[in-house]
Amino acid sequence: MTGKIIKGIAGFYYVYVEDQGVYECKAKGAFRKDKIKPLVGDDVTIDVISSEEMTGNVISILPRKSELIRPAVANVDQALLIFATKNPEPNLNLLDRFLCMMEEQDLPIVICFNKEDIADDGFEERMRATYENAGYKVIFCSAKNDEGIDGIREILKGKTSTVAGPSGVGKSSIVNKLTEGQTMETGEVSEKIGRGKHTTRHSELLYLGDDTFIMDTPGFSSLFVPKIEPVDLYTLFPEFIEPASYCKFTGCAHDKEPSCGVKDAVASGEIAASRYENYLQIYSEMVNERNNKYR
Ligand code: GDP
Ligand code: ZN
């Protein structure tokens, strides 16, 4: 039968099989010779050892649609990035870094601002202008007032999504709302895995029904620096790409250079000032890192 790996710990893979539950499996079989390590998110075929004890062997990994490096997970369709409208004040620098990280991995992104109930006037308009203009889907919700949660459910439906955000933004409150009514299955999963038994946090997929999985992404690194060449950083800012085609100089860093299409777009308001400032900051960090490495 086939299922999806929702967690891997110490040589065991926990495989969710629709309508049945979670099998505790070891990896056996031909694919081990090929040195393919099963990942959370992998769709696999398993042989059941005991249907009573829900144990089995993973015998093959179905072809991967995609493979994320961080977090290490297969077959992710999109990232849902959660920030708060305030409390804590959204750190747009962190947001833009995270967007770069997901862009570098070619992952579609939805930006969700929680705590809509306490947002300042004009915040929503400003964020929509900044991020919808960059091509992202932007949604607002309030886990507290149960507003916009159905919209999130709709976005997640039938897909596997990584859910990330800094602490305090209401991520657990949202995930709790989403898993309401799924208590049997998620309860069963937790029981089998023994949540809380392990000190290190592992990646884990939560099943929400309807072929929908979310991954609570542990950690939210503010230290991320893209691996690409600094001169290509602008390509991770989707709204910079078209304006950059008007730059006079090839290899324009969009910083001190004259006749720069990106700077013109910032001046005309086409590109948000915050996005440009964050671009410059990440750019200079990338250049510094390089200088340190080659010194
Ligand atoms: P996490 O750290 O991102 O998992 O955040 P939590 O879900 O633990 O929530 C952090 C705090 O924000 C808690 O005190 C929640 O009650 C509060 N909170 C969560 N969602 C909302 C919301 O939509 N509006 C308001 N005003 N507070 C919220
Ligand atoms: Zn330029």
Side-chain angles (χ1 to χ4, degrees), residues 7 25 34 39 50 54 61 69 84-85 146 148 154 158 163 196 210 217 225 239 277 282 290:
K7 190 162 184 142
C25 299
D34 308 329
L39 287 177
S50 159
M54 303 279 282
I61 301 175
I69 297 167
T85 61
D146 212 342
E154 203 52 45
V163 178
D210 282 337
T217 310
V225 176
E239 77 277 36
E277 281 159 24
I282 299 168
R290 241 144 238 274

Side-chain angles (χ1 to χ4, degrees), residues 39 66-74 101 104-105 203 227:
L39 287 177
S66 68
E67 184 178 333
L68 277 195
I69 297 167
R70 47 167 116 193
V73 55
M101 178 171 136
E104 198 171 28
Q105 304 187 81
S203 311
K227 300 275 165 295

Side-chain angles (χ1 to χ4, degrees), residues 25 29 42 45 68 73 80 87 95 97 100 119 133 164 175 188 193 210 217 231 248 250 259 273 282 288:
C25 299
D42 267 326
T45 57
L68 277 195
V73 55
L80 177 69
N87 300 349
L95 172 52
R97 276 170 205 273
C100 283
N133 180 42
V175 171
E188 187 186 351
I193 292 170
D210 282 337
T217 310
V231 70
K248 185 169 172 195
T250 42
S259 304
I282 299 168
N288 285 342

